Amino acid sequence: MANISEQKHHVVVIGAGFGGLSVVRDLAGADVSITLIDRRNYHLFQPLLYQVAGASLPSAEIAWPVRYLFRHRQDVRTLMAEVQGVDTGSRQVLLKDGARISYDTLVIATGATHAYFGHDDWEKFAPGLKDLDDATTLRGRILSAFENAEKTTDPGLRAAYQTFVIVGGGPTGVELSGTIAELARKTLKNDFRTIDPADTRIMLIEAGQRLLTAFPEPLSEYTRQSLEKLGVEVSFGQPVTACSADGVEYGGQSVPAKTIIWAAGVTASPAAGWLGVEADRAGRVIVGADLALPRHPDIFVIGDTAAVTGQDGKMVPGIAPAAKQEGQYVAKRIKSRLSNDNAAIKPFRYRHQGNLATIGRGLAVVDMGRLTLRGALAWWFWKLIHLYFLIGTRNRLSVAISWIWNHSVGYRGSRIITHASSDKEPAPLDKSGSRD
């Protein structure tokens, strides 16, 4: 592919996650041409990934083709391609296939991937949940575990198949623990003849001292109690020291388990390496108050890829609302530069909109600062907020119907096991990920 040049100011956005889409959307009507690059051809609504993994929702309900989203925007060109570097001197994005994309302004919103704290070899035994492939792989493994338990005659092996270990007590770990508990004790309770799914052991291992550390402590404690009522064993203060095909080790003990899920940490995409700039301990690019690189004002970094310090001195969290706000801010900054009115845009200021997490059917926690909710009211609030942020009326209606059906009947229709998701170990993640 030849170099691509544009007569208009050319904005290249890497990553079609929440941050990247916000930039492109808010540049509508500006005198620019836009190239949006992602190694996937879809935008993913990550907050509901765990429901795909737990067989509550089909994958098509939380992912949308990027080309479709911008089909009426003639100023936007979409490329499904993998980025492997950035030449800041010549202002070009380097693609894996050898192509070079020239830019006037570059926005990097490539998200994060799983962090195994120096034990990357654990990844094939304990896959994480960051993308649609991860979700369908986990769904296949979870469902296949019950199928394998049904057909084995070895009691020890059967127990291992019916043991699920989730590592990490953040929102993803909590939500996965709750959804697997409900899947085992309610959805599948009449489906098998040899095993009793209610005998399933679900373990949530958190190295720290409480769950959901971003939430107030009373909500964390409520979450622990709620999970334990669902039958989840919650462990604190003892990090996992080994993962293998046979199980995990933590606190000096070994637990035989055929399904391990990693939800303990993330690391940023390799954007800092592309740019040759300073990064924090999580690999995030350190940016200024305008979300640009200090020595490269033509390059912005946002979302999980960026280390942004808020006005309160705390790091801006790596969550979807923060990425969207950063994307909106960068679009304003670009437009102000084009109009030579840089003084009109103040430094980025993150507006925290609260934290939400589901625990199980009819159970959730919500922290909105002065307002905190728990239980059924929080659960309905969580659902309404997520329906609001889904793209398109059809998807909102489809997800709402699935939720109502699952809640009232208890049946999860997305319980199909494919050969690829059940028999194969997940391939190593491509560290040039592109997801916020």
Side-chain angles (χ1 to χ4, degrees):
M1 185 188 294
N3 288 0
I4 297 173
S5 61
E6 302 285 349
Q7 292 183 347
K8 291 185 177 182
H9 186 94
H10 187 207
V11 179
V12 174
V13 179
I14 308 176
F18 290 105
L21 286 197
S22 292
V23 175
V24 176
R25 283 174 167 168
D26 281 40
L27 283 176
D31 190 25
V32 298
S33 63
I34 303 168
T35 298
L36 176 59
I37 305 172
D38 197 294
R39 65 190 179 101
R40 309 293 188 190
N41 75 333
Y42 57 83
H43 166 71
L44 176 67
F45 192 77
Q46 274 194 333
L48 294 182
L49 260 184
Y50 82 94
Q51 296 209 357
V52 175
S56 294
L57 291 175
S59 57
E61 292 186 357
I62 65 167
W64 303 269
V66 178
R67 293 187 184 280
Y68 175 80
L69 296 177
F70 297 110
R71 64 195 184 281
H72 299 310
R73 291 277 301 277
Q74 296 302 311
D75 59 322
V76 179
R77 184 174 71 146
T78 300
L79 295 180
M80 190 178 82
E82 189 172 315
V83 174
Q84 67 174 14
V86 176
D87 186 337
T88 57
S90 62
R91 291 188 174 185
Q92 291 181 326
V93 174
L94 313 180
L95 303 184
K96 188 175 182 179
D97 63 5
R100 290 173 171 258
I101 310 297
S102 298
Y103 65 84
D104 295 305
T105 297
L106 175 63
V107 182
I108 300 178
T110 44
T113 187
H114 324 293
Y116 290 85
F117 310 114
H119 298 281
D120 290 348
D121 55 307
W122 294 355
E123 184 176 19
K124 61 182 178 180
F125 308 117
L129 185 60
K130 272 292 179 183
D131 211 335
L132 210 54
D133 291 340
D134 299 334
T136 53
T137 296
L138 284 178
R139 181 179 65 197
R141 285 192 169 196
I142 292 167
L143 296 174
S144 294
F146 290 103
E147 297 294 340
N148 290 326
E150 173 77 1
K151 67 185 180 184
T152 186
T153 57
D154 183 329
L157 186 57
R158 178 177 296 160
Y161 276 123
Q162 284 192 257
T163 299
F164 296 84
V165 177
I166 299 92
V167 184
T172 299
V174 167
E175 290 166 345
L176 280 169
S177 299
T179 200
I180 294 174
E182 290 193 338
L183 181 70
R185 290 162 173 59
K186 296 180 180 179
T187 307
L188 301 178
K189 64 180 181 180
N190 296 318
D191 287 13
F192 295 90
R193 299 297 173 264
T194 301
I195 65 169
D196 182 358
D199 292 336
T200 296
R201 184 184 186 188
I202 300 146
M203 303 179 64
L204 177 57
I205 302 175
E206 166 55 42
Q209 297 303 316
R210 66 184 181 97
L211 304 174
L212 302 177
T213 55
F215 289 70
E217 191 164 351
L219 293 184
S220 296
E221 178 60 16
Y222 172 81
T223 301
R224 180 192 66 79
Q225 294 175 2
S226 299
L227 285 175
E228 290 179 344
K229 288 180 180 178
L230 291 173
V232 178
E233 300 175 30
V234 183
S235 172
F236 296 111
Q238 296 176 322
V240 168
T241 55
C243 293
S244 70
D246 297 319
V248 301
E249 295 181 13
Y250 79 104
Q253 61 178 313
S254 297
V255 177
K258 289 298 184 179
T259 305
I260 310 168
I261 303 173
W262 192 264
V266 297
T267 186
S269 75
W274 298 344
L275 301 168
V277 297
E278 185 181 3
D280 69 359
R281 293 177 61 184
R284 297 174 298 186
V285 176
I286 299 173
V287 296
D290 60 352
L291 305 185
L293 296 185
R295 298 177 61 183
H296 297 279
D298 56 326
I299 299 177
F300 296 92
V301 186
I302 61 175
D304 290 345
T305 319
V308 184
T309 303
Q311 297 200 353
D312 58 359
K314 298 179 180 179
M315 296 300 297
V316 174
I319 56 178
K324 293 179 70 173
Q325 290 179 37
E326 290 167 4
Q328 292 162 359
Y329 175 86
V330 166
K332 290 181 182 179
R333 177 65 73 176
I334 293 172
K335 289 188 285 189
S336 71
R337 286 182 180 177
L338 293 176
S339 63
N340 295 316
D341 190 20
N342 288 333
I345 305 297
K346 298 179 180 179
F348 174 73
R349 183 171 184 175
Y350 171 60
R351 301 176 304 280
H352 186 56
Q353 298 173 337
N355 292 311
L356 306 89
T358 56
I359 304 168
R361 189 182 307 176
L363 296 172
V365 287
V366 172
D367 171 30
M368 304 295 290
R370 295 182 179 180
L371 174 66
T372 60
L373 302 173
R374 65 185 72 185
L377 183 59
W379 185 74
W380 284 108
F381 184 85
W382 182 94
K383 288 191 175 293
L384 290 173
I385 290 295
H386 283 72
L387 285 174
Y388 173 80
F389 282 109
L390 285 169
I391 297 176
T393 303
R394 186 193 69 80
N395 290 90
R396 294 189 185 106
L397 182 61
S398 178
V399 170
I401 292 173
S402 294
W403 281 346
I404 292 171
W405 186 261
N406 291 342
H407 181 66
S408 58
V409 179
Y411 173 74
R412 303 186 187 197
S414 303
R415 302 202 326 248
I416 304 302
I417 303 172
T418 65
H419 176 77
S421 67
S422 61
D423 292 344
K424 296 181 181 179
E425 290 181 347
L429 290 177
D430 187 335
K431 301 304 180 186
S432 62
S434 56
R435 186 65 47 210
D436 269 341

